[in-house]
Amino acid sequence: MVQEYKLLFAGGMGVGKTTAISAVSEIPPVSTDVANSDREAFDKELTTVTLDYGRITLPSGDRLRLYGIPGQQRFSFMWAMLEHGAMGMVLLADASRPDPFVELDIFLKAFSKLLRTGRAVLGVGRLSKRRGALDKYVAKLARRKIKIPVFSVDVRKKKDVLLLLDALFTQIEVLEEAYRSGEPSGKAAQSTSPAGDLANNPASDHANDKEPAKDGEASEKVAASASLADDLASGKEPPKGGVFPGKTVQSTNETTV
Amino acid sequence: MKPLSKIQATALQLRLNHCCARVPEIRLILLATVDGFQQVVAGSQRADAELPEKFAAIASSMMALGEAAGKEVGSKKRLEAVVLDLTDLRVILRMVGGGKQQFVLATVADRKVSLGVLLKIVYENARLLEEALC
């Protein structure tokens, strides 16, 4: 039976949610972009005021429905509506902002329930090449007791967005497997999820992406999820529901657990 | 996107106040930018401190969603209005202006006013506002 999975793309204005969905969607995305009148706050011509919507059909026929939130806080009434029923979340941040952590914090609070299940990944754009630049983001998440993988990405690149989705599904499947088996995360690595389908999708650039990521691409990865599956296995915090189709994971991601 | 000048805002405020005074069933008339910033507000509900600000964002979202829905079902023209027919209230959202000055005109009224009459009021207000914007 064909399954439908709802995924959320969240983050502040201009972090690239619309761009990310456009990069991977197989259909022309539904866009609700309008002229931005607040150019002082953010110098961007258009801004999303309701949602973005895109879709990916996996070889199995299963579908990923991609929903992007409007990033400005005055549209927060849409956030909870769009979060409802989401299996996981791609949270995006922009490191080039004057104070990226203040903005990130808004979304960490607003989506804390979903984030604390671990069914999420954080993609940081425009990150400096300095070693350890991602560590601050991992530390920020840790302070909020959120254990999710963090990646440096350029969401204009399809394979970077697919990397985030791969990581998200890998994260979800490890959590799910750990919850089912009650085993530590390391032993749950051979489980199943749409992640394999995503990597095997012939329409996906990522399917042939066997080379290690190059400089400037989604190369720097930190898995902050080290002990999450173990926490779940020990009964600390069971994940929310979700069913996963049977495909072997062939993600090209490095996994640090 | 060019926001309203002070002169424009004052002129529009007077027109909307006049309309609310003439039709007491109208609870709120609000002009918002297409990206959800409140510009001008009139009516008995304007005193509710947070309502106009929140409603401006919601109105722009609904208008954009209406536009997206129209495109999906094959409309080649721009969206003119969105009508919400609630059991006690009617809400009409109308696109006003064009080019660099495009706004959403949101009108909330009791159901005592028929939809036809309310649409007439809204379209008349939109015409007057567009004249004032020129």
Side-chain angles (χ1 to χ4, degrees):
Chain A
M1 199 178 101
V2 172
Q3 300 273 0
E4 304 259 354
Y5 301 98
K6 179 179 178 180
L7 301 178
L8 203 63
F9 281 70
M13 182 185 184
V15 296
K17 301 177 293 295
T18 304
T19 304
I21 290 174
S22 301
V24 294
S25 177
E26 68 194 11
I27 57 168
V30 174
S31 164
T32 58
D33 281 10
V34 299
N36 170 32
S37 67
D38 193 14
R39 300 291 280 261
E40 280 176 23
F42 199 90
D43 193 14
K44 190 182 171 209
E45 199 176 330
L46 298 174
T47 185
T48 302
V49 294
T50 312
L51 55 80
D52 295 308
Y53 172 76
R55 195 184 69 203
I56 299 174
T57 304
L58 303 174
S60 63
D62 292 344
R63 283 178 171 179
L64 308 181
R65 295 183 176 275
L66 315 174
Y67 288 82
I69 66 159
Q72 296 171 82
Q73 243 184 316
R74 66 182 178 283
F75 297 110
S76 59
F77 64 92
M78 286 299 303
W79 298 355
M81 280 189 237
L82 292 171
E83 185 187 11
H84 183 75
M87 184 181 66
M89 181 165 85
V90 175
L91 180 59
L92 297 173
D94 181 350
S96 70
R97 298 283 167 81
D99 195 347
F101 295 106
V102 171
E103 186 178 81
L104 179 62
D105 222 27
I106 293 167
F107 296 94
L108 296 182
K109 279 182 196 162
F111 294 99
S112 64
K113 202 174 164 188
L114 181 58
L115 288 165
R116 283 186 181 164
T117 66
R119 292 162 178 267
V121 291
L122 172 62
V124 184
R126 302 185 181 105
L127 195 71
S128 82
K129 297 262 166 71
R130 252 193 357 261
R131 178 174 279 276
L134 276 184
D135 292 349
K136 288 178 184 172
Y137 288 86
V138 175
K140 177 81 184 169
L141 294 174
R143 278 197 295 278
R144 289 211 164 267
K145 297 184 169 53
I146 294 166
K147 299 170 180 176
I148 59 173
V150 184
F151 295 84
S152 170
V153 290
D154 179 346
V155 292
R156 293 169 300 180
K157 293 178 179 166
K158 183 177 181 178
K159 69 177 180 178
D160 278 18
V161 183
L162 288 171
L163 172 72
L164 288 172
L165 292 175
D166 263 351
L168 175 59
F169 280 118
T170 303
Q171 174 81 352
I172 291 170
E173 84 176 347
V174 170
L175 294 170
E176 191 72 9
E177 186 67 17
Y179 183 61
R180 273 199 298 261
S181 66
E183 289 178 0
S185 57
K187 293 181 184 173
Q190 297 299 316
S191 65
T192 60
S193 89
D197 260 4
L198 204 58
N200 290 326
N201 187 345
S204 151
D205 292 346
H206 200 47
N208 302 316
D209 185 18
K210 302 294 181 193
E211 296 290 320
K214 292 181 178 64
D215 193 30
E217 296 178 349
S219 55
E220 197 173 348
K221 301 159 201 172
V222 178
S225 57
S227 61
L228 183 55
D230 294 347
D231 288 353
L232 291 163
S234 63
K236 282 186 183 169
E237 188 185 6
K240 300 285 181 291
V243 189
F244 304 99
K247 298 287 173 196
T248 307
V249 174
Q250 292 184 1
S251 169
T252 55
N253 302 338
E254 292 167 20
T255 309
T256 310
V257 285
Chain B
M1 177 80 193
K2 200 174 144 196
L4 289 177
S5 67
K6 279 190 177 173
I7 295 170
Q8 282 178 322
T10 307
L12 298 180
Q13 182 76 64
L14 289 172
R15 285 179 195 278
L16 298 184
N17 285 347
H18 176 69
C19 178
C20 288
R22 203 162 44 92
V23 188
E25 290 84 4
I26 291 179
R27 295 189 182 189
L28 184 78
I29 305 181
L30 179 136
L31 191 72
T33 61
V34 287
D35 62 338
F37 287 105
Q38 163 198 333
Q39 298 287 294
V40 181
V41 58
S44 58
Q45 283 192 320
R46 65 180 294 195
D48 184 342
E50 285 188 8
L51 174 76
E53 193 181 311
K54 281 199 288 189
F55 191 55
I58 292 170
S60 75
S61 286
M62 294 195 62
M63 212 64 195
L65 199 58
E67 189 101 41
K71 276 185 194 155
E72 286 302 309
V73 295
S75 171
K76 304 272 190 291
K77 304 282 185 182
R78 80 168 206 169
L79 177 71
E80 285 207 348
V82 169
V83 177
L84 295 181
D85 208 6
L86 306 167
T87 50
D88 53 348
L89 294 172
R90 288 199 168 96
V91 180
I92 299 181
L93 308 174
R94 170 76 156 85
M95 202 65 96
V96 177
K100 288 191 171 176
Q101 279 202 311
Q102 208 169 18
F103 300 93
V104 178
L105 176 67
T107 307
V108 182
D110 291 340
R111 274 185 73 102
K112 288 174 199 161
V113 186
S114 75
L115 185 57
V117 170
L118 190 58
L119 276 169
K120 188 171 179 291
I121 293 168
V122 169
Y123 276 67
E124 180 63 12
N125 277 341
R127 190 182 61 78
L128 292 171
L129 294 183
E130 281 174 349
E131 279 175 14
L133 288 173
C134 289

